[in-house]
Amino acid sequence: MRSQTLTDFLAAARAAFMSKVVAPEAKVSLSHIFTALESPGIMSGATGARLPTCAHLAEATDIKNLQDVSLRRLIETFLALEPDLQWGLRKGDWTNAGPGFAESHANAMIVGPGGAERRSDVWIGVSLVAPNIRYPDHTHPPEETYLVLSPGQFMQGADNWVEPGVGGTLYNPPGILHAMLSGDAPLLAFWALWAEPYKA
Ligand SMILES: [Fe+2]
């Protein structure tokens, strides 16, 4: 049984991603993702765990000046779910990570491998990066759509850094190199990956 907090979060994520997404490929990807999520996976039952970087959560999720209804709902449902999440450091490659990266980021898988709901077809999670930290360059086979909830810059392939802004989205095609970079504010972004074609 999927918990009520996760049910509420996934409904809010569906509404927020679908209302903000621009790239046609991302629309197709998200439609695969949220259709698959109509069938629940296995609840992990694990106890939530935070990292020191989570001290930035309050600032990163402050919605008092946020007007957008779908983004407000996304943050509210995320905060209700957050105590059940296991925050951890990035696994894998740390190429080009900025100084202090180890102490200055936290990721949580919400649904997906090791997530609050365990499944391998869809990965939805969140990244929190402390101010003025460069996240490593990385790639992964599944295509990915980011929904950005804070200031901060993003890089993709050989392109320049861009700042999508609050409510901005980015689509990463399968295998493309990408990274993110926080400015003076913490960076908060949700990501949704369609992993069904790559399931083990
Ligand atoms: Fe990624």
Side-chain angles (χ1 to χ4, degrees):
M1 274 283 286
R2 189 176 270 166
S3 68
Q4 191 61 48
T5 50
L6 181 56
T7 300
D8 293 345
F9 169 79
L10 291 175
R14 182 178 203 151
F17 269 97
M18 295 313 271
S19 77
K20 299 299 173 196
V21 67
V22 179
E25 306 95 316
K27 288 183 184 172
V28 173
S29 182
L30 291 168
S31 128
H32 288 315
I33 286 169
F34 287 106
T35 301
L37 286 174
E38 289 169 7
S39 302
I42 299 161
M43 293 300 289
S44 80
T47 309
R50 282 182 155 191
L51 289 178
T53 302
C54 296
H56 295 281
L57 258 183
E59 181 182 351
T61 58
D62 180 359
I63 57 170
K64 67 176 178 299
N65 295 319
L66 183 61
Q67 306 293 329
D68 186 285
V69 173
S70 70
L71 297 183
R72 288 183 68 91
R73 180 73 186 145
L74 178 63
I75 300 269
E76 286 165 358
T77 58
F78 168 67
L79 289 176
L81 176 66
E82 189 276 328
D84 296 333
L85 300 180
Q86 292 192 308
W87 291 90
L89 298 180
R90 170 173 169 72
K91 297 181 181 75
D93 194 355
W94 283 20
T95 301
N96 287 335
F101 176 67
E103 308 80 46
S104 306
H105 77 285
N107 293 331
M109 187 75 83
I110 299 172
V111 301
E117 178 173 304
R118 304 253 153 109
R119 59 193 303 147
S120 53
D121 55 345
V122 172
W123 310 352
I124 292 182
V126 59
S127 292
L128 176 65
V129 185
N132 301 305
I133 294 290
R134 191 198 190 287
Y135 200 88
D137 293 337
H138 65 286
T139 67
H140 37 71
E143 62 186 351
E144 172 181 47
T145 304
Y146 277 93
L147 176 55
V148 181
L149 271 303
S150 70
Q153 297 186 69
F154 290 74
M155 179 277 289
Q156 183 185 67
D159 292 346
N160 292 329
W161 291 89
V162 295
E163 177 134 1
V166 174
T169 60
L170 291 108
Y171 172 73
N172 287 320
I176 198 168
L177 191 74
H178 56 285
M180 37 195 181
L181 172 67
S182 57
D184 291 339
L187 185 156
L188 180 72
F190 291 92
W191 28 268
L193 289 82
W194 177 232
E196 170 71 27
Y198 307 95
K199 271 191 342 189

mmCIF file of all heavy atoms in Angstrom, residues 108-131:
data_model
loop_
_atom_site.group_PDB
_atom_site.id
_atom_site.type_symbol
_atom_site.label_atom_id
_atom_site.label_comp_id
_atom_site.label_asym_id
_atom_site.label_seq_id
_atom_site.Cartn_x
_atom_site.Cartn_y
_atom_site.Cartn_z
ATOM 1 N N ALA A 108 17.764 12.514 -2.358
ATOM 2 C CA ALA A 108 16.850 11.495 -1.834
ATOM 3 C C ALA A 108 16.056 10.901 -2.992
ATOM 4 O O ALA A 108 15.480 11.637 -3.800
ATOM 5 C CB ALA A 108 15.906 12.086 -0.806
ATOM 6 N N MET A 109 16.064 9.585 -3.056
ATOM 7 C CA MET A 109 15.226 8.868 -4.028
ATOM 8 C C MET A 109 13.848 8.725 -3.389
ATOM 9 O O MET A 109 13.732 8.237 -2.264
ATOM 10 C CB MET A 109 15.834 7.494 -4.315
ATOM 11 C CG MET A 109 15.156 6.736 -5.415
ATOM 12 S SD MET A 109 15.532 7.362 -7.077
ATOM 13 C CE MET A 109 17.098 6.542 -7.425
ATOM 14 N N ILE A 110 12.837 9.170 -4.092
ATOM 15 C CA ILE A 110 11.471 9.094 -3.550
ATOM 16 C C ILE A 110 10.795 7.817 -4.047
ATOM 17 O O ILE A 110 10.361 6.989 -3.243
ATOM 18 C CB ILE A 110 10.684 10.366 -3.929
ATOM 19 C CG1 ILE A 110 11.389 11.587 -3.309
ATOM 20 C CG2 ILE A 110 9.228 10.245 -3.448
ATOM 21 C CD1 ILE A 110 10.850 12.938 -3.751
ATOM 22 N N VAL A 111 10.727 7.654 -5.369
ATOM 23 C CA VAL A 111 10.376 6.337 -5.909
ATOM 24 C C VAL A 111 11.523 5.919 -6.821
ATOM 25 O O VAL A 111 12.094 6.737 -7.529
ATOM 26 C CB VAL A 111 9.035 6.318 -6.680
ATOM 27 C CG1 VAL A 111 7.878 6.743 -5.800
ATOM 28 C CG2 VAL A 111 9.082 7.173 -7.926
ATOM 29 N N GLY A 112 11.880 4.638 -6.761
ATOM 30 C CA GLY A 112 13.003 4.147 -7.555
ATOM 31 C C GLY A 112 13.870 3.246 -6.686
ATOM 32 O O GLY A 112 13.521 2.979 -5.529
ATOM 33 N N PRO A 113 15.008 2.810 -7.224
ATOM 34 C CA PRO A 113 15.893 1.926 -6.452
ATOM 35 C C PRO A 113 16.320 2.598 -5.150
ATOM 36 O O PRO A 113 16.824 3.715 -5.153
ATOM 37 C CB PRO A 113 17.095 1.729 -7.387
ATOM 38 C CG PRO A 113 16.556 2.022 -8.764
ATOM 39 C CD PRO A 113 15.498 3.069 -8.574
ATOM 40 N N GLY A 114 16.095 1.927 -4.034
ATOM 41 C CA GLY A 114 16.467 2.491 -2.732
ATOM 42 C C GLY A 114 15.546 3.599 -2.257
ATOM 43 O O GLY A 114 15.820 4.254 -1.256
ATOM 44 N N GLY A 115 14.451 3.830 -2.947
ATOM 45 C CA GLY A 115 13.556 4.924 -2.582
ATOM 46 C C GLY A 115 12.532 4.538 -1.533
ATOM 47 O O GLY A 115 12.479 3.396 -1.075
ATOM 48 N N ALA A 116 11.708 5.518 -1.146
ATOM 49 C CA ALA A 116 10.629 5.244 -0.201
ATOM 50 C C ALA A 116 9.665 4.223 -0.807
ATOM 51 O O ALA A 116 9.095 3.394 -0.103
ATOM 52 C CB ALA A 116 9.898 6.533 0.146
ATOM 53 N N GLU A 117 9.477 4.307 -2.133
ATOM 54 C CA GLU A 117 8.771 3.245 -2.874
ATOM 55 C C GLU A 117 9.778 2.620 -3.818
ATOM 56 O O GLU A 117 10.337 3.290 -4.678
ATOM 57 C CB GLU A 117 7.571 3.798 -3.652
ATOM 58 C CG GLU A 117 6.854 2.711 -4.454
ATOM 59 C CD GLU A 117 5.558 3.223 -5.098
ATOM 60 O OE1 GLU A 117 4.696 3.723 -4.361
ATOM 61 O OE2 GLU A 117 5.439 3.123 -6.332
ATOM 62 N N ARG A 118 10.010 1.315 -3.640
ATOM 63 C CA ARG A 118 11.046 0.622 -4.413
ATOM 64 C C ARG A 118 10.467 0.141 -5.731
ATOM 65 O O ARG A 118 9.455 -0.556 -5.748
ATOM 66 C CB ARG A 118 11.557 -0.582 -3.612
ATOM 67 C CG ARG A 118 12.061 -0.193 -2.229
ATOM 68 C CD ARG A 118 13.577 -0.246 -2.127
ATOM 69 N NE ARG A 118 14.042 0.689 -1.121
ATOM 70 C CZ ARG A 118 14.545 0.372 0.069
ATOM 71 N NH1 ARG A 118 14.662 -0.889 0.411
ATOM 72 N NH2 ARG A 118 14.959 1.307 0.905
ATOM 73 N N ARG A 119 11.141 0.545 -6.814
ATOM 74 C CA ARG A 119 10.744 0.098 -8.146
ATOM 75 C C ARG A 119 11.887 0.424 -9.097
ATOM 76 O O ARG A 119 12.767 1.237 -8.773
ATOM 77 C CB ARG A 119 9.444 0.754 -8.592
ATOM 78 C CG ARG A 119 9.488 2.268 -8.636
ATOM 79 C CD ARG A 119 8.108 2.881 -8.768
ATOM 80 N NE ARG A 119 7.410 2.383 -9.948
ATOM 81 C CZ ARG A 119 6.080 2.201 -9.998
ATOM 82 N NH1 ARG A 119 5.313 2.492 -8.963
ATOM 83 N NH2 ARG A 119 5.507 1.744 -11.103
ATOM 84 N N SER A 120 11.910 -0.190 -10.261
ATOM 85 C CA SER A 120 13.037 0.030 -11.164
ATOM 86 C C SER A 120 12.636 0.704 -12.471
ATOM 87 O O SER A 120 13.498 1.087 -13.250
ATOM 88 C CB SER A 120 13.739 -1.298 -11.459
ATOM 89 O OG SER A 120 12.797 -2.240 -11.904
ATOM 90 N N ASP A 121 11.334 0.881 -12.696
ATOM 91 C CA ASP A 121 10.907 1.465 -13.979
ATOM 92 C C ASP A 121 10.923 2.991 -13.966
ATOM 93 O O ASP A 121 11.119 3.627 -15.006
ATOM 94 C CB ASP A 121 9.510 0.958 -14.363
ATOM 95 C CG ASP A 121 8.462 1.199 -13.288
ATOM 96 O OD1 ASP A 121 8.837 1.493 -12.126
ATOM 97 O OD2 ASP A 121 7.258 1.088 -13.598
ATOM 98 N N VAL A 122 10.701 3.585 -12.795
ATOM 99 C CA VAL A 122 10.626 5.034 -12.649
ATOM 100 C C VAL A 122 11.502 5.447 -11.467
ATOM 101 O O VAL A 122 11.472 4.789 -10.429
ATOM 102 C CB VAL A 122 9.170 5.471 -12.354
ATOM 103 C CG1 VAL A 122 9.115 6.952 -12.009
ATOM 104 C CG2 VAL A 122 8.261 5.161 -13.532
ATOM 105 N N TRP A 123 12.275 6.512 -11.666
ATOM 106 C CA TRP A 123 13.020 7.092 -10.538
ATOM 107 C C TRP A 123 12.571 8.545 -10.412
ATOM 108 O O TRP A 123 12.717 9.327 -11.357
ATOM 109 C CB TRP A 123 14.519 7.102 -10.777
ATOM 110 C CG TRP A 123 15.160 5.815 -11.238
ATOM 111 C CD1 TRP A 123 14.588 4.566 -11.337
ATOM 112 C CD2 TRP A 123 16.522 5.661 -11.692
ATOM 113 N NE1 TRP A 123 15.507 3.663 -11.821
ATOM 114 C CE2 TRP A 123 16.709 4.305 -12.044
ATOM 115 C CE3 TRP A 123 17.600 6.551 -11.819
ATOM 116 C CZ2 TRP A 123 17.927 3.807 -12.524
ATOM 117 C CZ3 TRP A 123 18.812 6.059 -12.289
ATOM 118 C CH2 TRP A 123 18.971 4.704 -12.635
ATOM 119 N N ILE A 124 12.063 8.891 -9.251
ATOM 120 C CA ILE A 124 11.778 10.303 -8.961
ATOM 121 C C ILE A 124 12.476 10.641 -7.655
ATOM 122 O O ILE A 124 12.357 9.904 -6.667
ATOM 123 C CB ILE A 124 10.269 10.586 -8.851
ATOM 124 C CG1 ILE A 124 9.595 10.423 -10.216
ATOM 125 C CG2 ILE A 124 10.023 12.002 -8.321
ATOM 126 C CD1 ILE A 124 8.115 10.732 -10.227
ATOM 127 N N GLY A 125 13.212 11.734 -7.663
ATOM 128 C CA GLY A 125 13.934 12.112 -6.462
ATOM 129 C C GLY A 125 14.188 13.603 -6.429
ATOM 130 O O GLY A 125 13.660 14.369 -7.251
ATOM 131 N N VAL A 126 14.994 13.983 -5.456
ATOM 132 C CA VAL A 126 15.232 15.394 -5.206
ATOM 133 C C VAL A 126 16.704 15.599 -4.869
ATOM 134 O O VAL A 126 17.332 14.750 -4.239
ATOM 135 C CB VAL A 126 14.302 15.875 -4.054
ATOM 136 C CG1 VAL A 126 14.543 15.091 -2.774
ATOM 137 C CG2 VAL A 126 14.401 17.364 -3.824
ATOM 138 N N SER A 127 17.236 16.724 -5.318
ATOM 139 C CA SER A 127 18.606 17.116 -4.976
ATOM 140 C C SER A 127 18.579 18.465 -4.285
ATOM 141 O O SER A 127 17.881 19.385 -4.736
ATOM 142 C CB SER A 127 19.484 17.232 -6.232
ATOM 143 O OG SER A 127 19.687 15.958 -6.801
ATOM 144 N N LEU A 128 19.353 18.555 -3.213
ATOM 145 C CA LEU A 128 19.524 19.800 -2.471
ATOM 146 C C LEU A 128 21.024 20.093 -2.440
ATOM 147 O O LEU A 128 21.812 19.226 -2.050
ATOM 148 C CB LEU A 128 18.977 19.628 -1.051
ATOM 149 C CG LEU A 128 19.144 20.792 -0.096
ATOM 150 C CD1 LEU A 128 18.344 22.016 -0.552
ATOM 151 C CD2 LEU A 128 18.692 20.374 1.315
ATOM 152 N N VAL A 129 21.398 21.288 -2.893
ATOM 153 C CA VAL A 129 22.818 21.654 -2.953
ATOM 154 C C VAL A 129 22.996 22.966 -2.188
ATOM 155 O O VAL A 129 22.281 23.940 -2.429
ATOM 156 C CB VAL A 129 23.292 21.818 -4.414
ATOM 157 C CG1 VAL A 129 24.795 22.087 -4.458
ATOM 158 C CG2 VAL A 129 22.952 20.582 -5.239
ATOM 159 N N ALA A 130 23.927 22.973 -1.250
ATOM 160 C CA ALA A 130 24.213 24.172 -0.452
ATOM 161 C C ALA A 130 24.722 25.291 -1.373
ATOM 162 O O ALA A 130 25.142 25.028 -2.498
ATOM 163 C CB ALA A 130 25.258 23.832 0.612
ATOM 164 N N PRO A 131 24.698 26.547 -0.907
ATOM 165 C CA PRO A 131 25.126 27.661 -1.764
ATOM 166 C C PRO A 131 26.564 27.522 -2.284
ATOM 167 O O PRO A 131 27.448 27.021 -1.586
ATOM 168 C CB PRO A 131 25.000 28.880 -0.847
ATOM 169 C CG PRO A 131 23.919 28.504 0.117
ATOM 170 C CD PRO A 131 24.116 27.025 0.360
#
